[in-house]
Amino acid sequence: RMGALWRLLGYLKPYMHRLIGAWITLSISGALMALIVSTVKPLVNEVLLGGRATPVTAAETGGSGPDILTRVQQWLPLDSLADWAMDHAFVQVPLLIVVIFVVRGFFLYFGQYHTIKAGASVIRDMRTELYEAVAYQSLGFFQEHPTGTILSRILNDVQRLQRVTTVVLADLVRVGAMVPFLILTAFYHEWKMSLVAFVALPLLGYPMIRLGRRLRRAATASQEHMALVANRLTESVTGVKVVQGFGMESYEVRRFHEAVGRMLRADLRAGRAQALSPAIMELLGACVGGALFAIAGLYIARQNLDPGNFAVVLFCLGLLFMSIRRLNALYAEIQNALAAAVRIFDMLDREREIRDLPDAQPLPPFSSEIRFDQVSFSYGDERVLKGVELTLRKGETVALVGSSGSGKTTLANLLPRFYDPTEGRLLIDGRDIRETTLASLREQIGLVTQETVLFDDTVRNNIAYGRAELAPEPVQEVARAAQAHDFIQSLPSGYDTMLGERGTRLSMGQRQRVTIARALLKDPPILI
């Protein structure tokens, strides 16, 4: 888990200059919050008690020197109306608080904004890297990982990280920067009472550590069930014709309900751990606060404690308690994010089964023949092809005929290296295709799949896939060759008609013709 955390933090390196600036401004805002707390002393002694508080020397209490208003009066020698205002605490304190909050708000805004900007950039980088890792995997990878699982990793798991690297990170820096200034302020004003409180303060960290492991386990289970829910949803939506054709809507609803129920139970386990933590913290905080009030009351009665100093300590402790509660909530979110990070890095680290060898060379233009040399292939323990010998010469049209499951599609998938043979070699012009680069191999192959694959884009962009800048003439030429031009012209916007998801606005035959046109536009020497 710590490895995943350090790896996640590694994504912040390119944006460290922005984060350093954000941390400096947030630290300043934390110091200003401690300054605001210091105004409590004159507010209590001069305004609430009207100056009736019994003077207590610093030597008697181990407390602070001059309060913040005394220092302001020393720094700002004023006269007339300003003199009057500086002599009256009920005017001074509100003005000072407003000024400090205005300045603090400025630093707080820029600090949080730049932290969130850096975190959002990290998520963009990570989501792109994860998608790239998935895009280059072999077909075997997609057989092992259902579509819903992959979507859950890229969307849901990364989304959990997004909050941690933006809002949570900003809050972590803001609260973390404020805590040391509050501690220093409390000890500066009254170190003895602060010492009593801070001896017990570490107890508040108990829920964070004790319940963190339980929360992380529950979060992992919740994310796994989320992947199952996404898979159920993907299956039922993409297979809606079969679902409705067989009248299985209620069956699919039950399956989805069961998957969501399992996710709910995992979420509730995480919720119990997350809800228990603040309850324990509040109980411990109440015990510490009660003991502190009892001791302070005794000292004030004996005139050994300045009420203003005690009020400052009390406010510092209150803010510290709220800060620790916030840190506890942030810790819980970090545990959720770590569970997601482990799953993301597992997919990122998945070794590509089909990749270029270190010494792979570009494949020269196809000129002679394709040869399957004693090719065998197995899906796990299930052997599909055994010792296939086949030669395909340039200019030939060859059809593979056989019963279902005899290996026709598998044999075709070996040519563009969607899989590699378990045994034997596949040669193009005498060169083993495993010794050539994937890009140069697939550049010479056009593919019309058994299942039509169209994208939610215009007809033109589906035919000119990846080459939107192409002129209209070659697109229309291949459409005519695939006998698709006439029905395309009859569409509402012709070649600029959006096809919808998976090309659902076209009939099955029309989709097939568009995919043929796409393959013809590539004009490859090898067509599958």
Side-chain angles (χ1 to χ4, degrees):
R1 300 289 182 173
M2 290 305 297
L5 177 60
W6 287 116
R7 186 171 175 182
L8 183 59
L9 293 176
Y11 282 87
L12 291 169
K13 284 184 180 179
Y15 312 102
M16 194 55 67
H17 62 287
R18 188 184 302 278
L19 285 173
I20 290 174
W23 291 339
I24 291 173
T25 56
L26 288 172
S27 297
I28 294 173
S29 74
L32 291 173
M33 190 65 200
L35 194 61
I36 292 170
V37 174
S38 297
T39 63
V40 172
K41 178 178 179 179
L43 186 65
V44 170
N45 288 347
E46 302 298 328
V47 177
L48 299 182
L49 297 180
R52 295 190 302 274
T54 304
V56 181
T57 65
E60 292 175 322
T61 64
S64 68
D67 62 39
I68 188 171
L69 287 183
T70 304
R71 294 185 181 278
V72 170
Q73 290 169 347
Q74 292 171 352
W75 297 336
L76 300 175
L78 304 175
D79 52 22
S80 65
L81 181 63
D83 271 338
W84 176 83
M86 293 304 294
D87 287 335
H88 294 79
F90 63 84
V91 177
Q92 301 167 21
V93 175
L95 286 175
L96 188 59
I97 289 175
V98 169
V99 171
I100 295 175
F101 264 112
V102 169
V103 177
R104 181 176 182 269
F106 173 81
F107 285 106
L108 193 60
Y109 167 77
F110 282 100
Q112 287 195 292
Y113 171 74
H114 286 292
T115 304
I116 290 173
K117 187 174 182 180
S121 301
V122 165
I123 291 304
R124 177 203 58 198
D125 297 344
M126 180 172 287
R127 187 168 271 150
T128 303
E129 185 178 337
L130 181 58
Y131 178 74
E132 181 181 354
V134 170
Y136 283 98
Q137 291 292 348
S138 68
L139 290 185
F141 171 86
F142 293 96
Q143 290 176 338
E144 293 177 20
H145 298 82
T147 304
T149 300
I150 297 173
L151 290 177
S152 180
R153 295 287 192 281
I154 297 176
L155 299 179
N156 299 327
D157 287 350
V158 175
Q159 186 66 32
R160 289 176 185 254
L161 292 184
Q162 181 167 359
R163 178 168 171 78
V164 167
T165 56
T166 53
V167 177
V168 171
L169 180 61
D171 275 4
L172 193 63
V173 174
R174 177 182 61 81
V175 176
M178 186 171 63
V179 165
F181 289 107
L182 291 174
I183 294 174
L184 289 174
T185 300
F187 272 91
Y188 175 78
H189 283 84
E190 180 53 59
W191 70 267
K192 290 182 179 179
M193 295 301 300
S194 299
L195 190 62
V196 172
F198 283 100
V199 167
L201 200 60
L203 293 175
L204 299 178
Y206 168 81
M208 297 171 61
I209 300 171
R210 184 70 179 87
L211 299 174
R213 298 188 188 93
R214 187 190 305 178
L215 181 62
R216 190 168 57 234
R217 288 193 298 268
T220 300
S222 174
Q223 289 159 25
E224 289 172 352
H225 289 305
M226 172 63 79
L228 178 61
V229 168
N231 194 47
R232 290 277 190 270
L233 184 60
T234 303
E235 286 180 343
S236 60
V237 171
T238 56
V240 64
K241 273 188 179 179
V242 175
V243 173
Q244 294 184 354
F246 282 81
M248 287 293 153
E249 294 92 340
S250 59
Y251 170 71
E252 289 297 333
V253 169
R254 283 199 306 273
R255 290 179 72 211
F256 187 79
H257 179 74
E258 290 170 1
V260 172
R262 285 192 287 271
M263 187 178 73
L264 173 62
R265 288 190 289 274
D267 285 342
L268 289 178
R269 285 195 296 273
R272 283 195 294 270
Q274 200 164 350
L276 186 58
S277 181
I280 294 175
M281 286 185 61
E282 288 190 3
L283 176 61
L284 293 174
C287 294
V288 172
L292 193 65
F293 267 106
I295 296 171
L298 181 63
Y299 273 82
I300 291 175
R302 295 176 179 177
Q303 299 182 358
N304 290 329
L305 177 63
D306 185 290
N309 284 337
F310 175 65
V312 171
V313 172
L314 200 61
F315 269 78
C316 286
L317 290 177
L319 287 174
L320 279 171
F321 179 75
M322 288 189 288
S323 298
I324 292 174
R325 281 195 62 179
R326 181 57 185 152
L327 289 173
N328 183 52
L330 297 178
Y331 180 75
E333 293 199 52
I334 290 172
Q335 293 301 318
N336 278 323
L338 284 180
V342 169
R343 289 155 56 85
I344 290 171
F345 292 140
D346 283 345
M347 188 165 283
L348 273 174
D349 296 337
R350 172 70 180 258
E351 187 176 352
R352 297 178 186 177
E353 297 176 6
I354 306 298
R355 62 186 186 278
D356 289 338
L357 295 176
D359 55 349
Q361 299 295 319
L363 180 68
F366 177 53
S367 62
S368 179
E369 66 177 23
I370 299 168
R371 182 184 168 204
F372 290 79
D373 180 22
Q374 289 295 313
V375 169
S376 298
F377 183 81
S378 301
Y379 292 106
D381 297 330
E382 180 186 358
R383 172 163 284 193
V384 180
L385 302 173
K386 181 179 180 181
V388 174
E389 283 283 350
L390 176 64
T391 300
L392 311 172
R393 294 175 179 82
K394 185 175 182 179
E396 290 183 338
T397 299
V398 178
L400 300 177
V401 182
S403 59
S404 297
S406 60
K408 304 183 299 297
T409 302
T410 299
L411 196 68
N413 284 337
L414 293 176
L415 183 54
R417 284 195 72 194
F418 293 148
Y419 302 101
D420 278 335
T422 309
E423 299 173 11
R425 299 180 303 164
L426 205 164
L427 309 170
I428 295 181
D429 296 334
R431 298 188 61 171
D432 191 330
I433 62 174
R434 285 174 292 198
E435 298 174 357
T436 65
T437 60
L438 276 170
S440 65
L441 169 66
R442 292 174 179 172
E443 186 179 2
Q444 301 192 45
I445 298 175
L447 183 65
V448 180
T449 57
Q450 190 169 355
E451 178 187 357
T452 57
V453 177
L454 295 176
F455 301 95
D456 188 9
D457 205 337
T458 64
V459 178
R460 185 190 315 278
N461 288 343
N462 267 281
I463 295 176
Y465 181 50
R467 293 183 288 174
E469 74 286 350
L470 206 63
E473 290 77 15
V475 174
Q476 294 176 13
E477 183 180 342
V478 294
R480 287 190 180 94
Q483 299 183 17
H485 178 73
D486 291 341
F487 80 77
I488 292 174
Q489 290 285 64
S490 67
L491 295 174
S493 301
Y495 281 85
D496 293 321
T497 302
M498 295 293 293
L499 292 184
E501 186 180 4
R502 301 171 67 87
T504 51
R505 294 183 181 176
L506 301 180
S507 70
M508 189 62 70
Q510 290 172 332
R511 293 181 218 171
Q512 195 76 53
R513 293 182 190 183
V514 172
T515 61
I516 292 172
R518 180 169 60 200
L520 292 177
L521 183 63
K522 189 176 181 181
D523 193 22
I526 303 169
L527 179 62
I528 302 175

